[in-house]
Amino acid sequence: SSGINAEYGGLYWGTEFFLACHEMAIAGAFCQFYWTRDKRKVSFPVVRGIWWVFRYHLGTVAFGSCIIAIIQLIRTILAYIQNKTKDSQSEVVKYLLMCLQCCLWCFEKVMKFINRNAYIYTAFKGSNFCTSCKKVFGLLMSNLVRVGVINCVGSFILFIGKFLVVMVTGILGYFMLSKDEQIEYWAIPVLIASIFAFAVAHTFFSVYEIGIDTIFVCFAEDETKND
């Protein structure tokens, strides 16, 4: 129904809005370090980044997060239709709906990538969402090889970091709990601890991920304007 769709849309929008504020605030902190010649003058960069978001850029993050929320809502509606009509669909219709779902998933990933870089551009230029998307898209297209290398290498290094955190947590949990005679099933607590370790590692490493993207966009803009 329309009420349920509105609830899901509001939930998606609220979640994406919070994540967008988080990304732009961190990007603003990294931008301050990059564009300030005397690094000693940089004080409370994260606090300033949060202040800039809520003072100047709430419209940008609201618009960008709304686009993602709309795509997610369409995917949810499509999945609901697939589930309700799965017994009465022909094979052709099932195939078309699966292809449409796949296209929407890819479109969502692309838009999230563009949104993040647009937030970064807005963080140091102060431009609106549409202008930032246009400008940063040009920067990324002119540095396509660098973007591919940085994303592949950066993603691999961050994955190794997360993997090591989970492995160390699991190994330490095993040695701590397997020798305790009072604990009969030590595997379940170790598994839960590893899951929490991955969640924490993912959260912390996301800061480094945004930092890598921010420094690259700043470098590309710096190279274009001052080379």
Side-chain angles (χ1 to χ4, degrees):
S1 64
S2 59
I4 296 177
N5 292 338
E7 290 177 2
Y8 274 107
L11 177 62
Y12 290 147
W13 194 4
T15 303
E16 292 300 323
F17 180 81
F18 175 79
L19 293 175
C21 289
H22 161 259
E23 290 180 353
M24 185 175 284
I26 295 176
F30 279 98
C31 287
Q32 292 175 63
F33 274 101
Y34 184 91
W35 294 107
T36 303
R37 187 177 297 276
D38 187 359
K39 308 303 180 186
R40 293 172 297 180
K41 295 182 180 180
V42 178
S43 59
F44 304 104
V46 177
V47 176
R48 285 189 176 185
I50 295 173
W51 165 249
W52 288 348
V53 171
F54 284 93
R55 177 64 179 84
Y56 301 109
H57 305 308
L58 278 182
T60 297
V61 296
F63 186 60
S65 58
C66 181
I67 294 174
I68 303 299
I70 291 173
I71 298 173
Q72 292 175 339
L73 180 60
I74 294 174
R75 290 187 60 202
T76 301
I77 295 173
L78 186 61
Y80 177 80
I81 294 173
Q82 284 181 290
N83 184 58
K84 286 295 184 180
T85 60
K86 60 182 179 181
D87 295 329
S88 59
Q89 291 174 356
S90 65
E91 293 298 324
V92 176
V93 174
K94 289 182 180 180
Y95 178 76
L96 290 176
L97 288 175
M98 290 176 60
C99 289
L100 184 57
Q101 190 73 266
C102 181
C103 291
L104 287 172
W105 180 84
C106 293
F107 182 56
E108 180 184 343
K109 294 299 180 182
V110 171
M111 285 306 304
K112 283 186 175 181
F113 177 76
I114 295 176
N115 278 14
R116 169 179 286 187
N117 287 280
Y119 298 149
I120 293 170
Y121 196 87
T122 299
F124 67 85
K125 280 292 187 178
S127 53
N128 59 49
F129 179 79
C130 295
T131 302
S132 297
C133 284
K134 178 182 177 182
K135 295 291 185 181
V136 82
F137 185 78
L139 282 177
L140 296 176
M141 292 304 295
S142 61
N143 295 273
L144 202 56
V145 176
R146 289 175 176 175
V147 172
V149 172
I150 290 174
N151 282 339
C152 291
V153 175
S155 298
F156 177 74
I157 293 174
L158 293 175
F159 170 77
I160 294 297
K162 297 174 187 178
F163 178 76
L164 289 176
V165 170
V166 174
M167 285 296 297
V168 170
T169 302
I171 292 172
L172 290 177
Y174 168 76
F175 283 111
M176 291 174 62
L177 299 178
S178 62
K179 296 180 181 180
D180 193 340
E181 296 180 355
Q182 296 181 348
I183 300 177
E184 185 174 356
Y185 301 103
W186 55 266
I188 296 178
V190 170
L191 177 62
I192 295 174
S194 299
I195 293 173
F196 275 101
F198 175 80
V200 173
H202 178 75
T203 302
F204 276 91
F205 277 106
S206 67
V207 176
Y208 290 96
E209 186 177 2
I210 297 172
I212 292 171
D213 293 339
T214 302
I215 292 173
F216 173 73
V217 173
C218 290
F219 168 77
E221 177 69 11
D222 193 12
E223 186 181 45
T224 301
K225 299 297 183 181
N226 303 315
D227 188 12

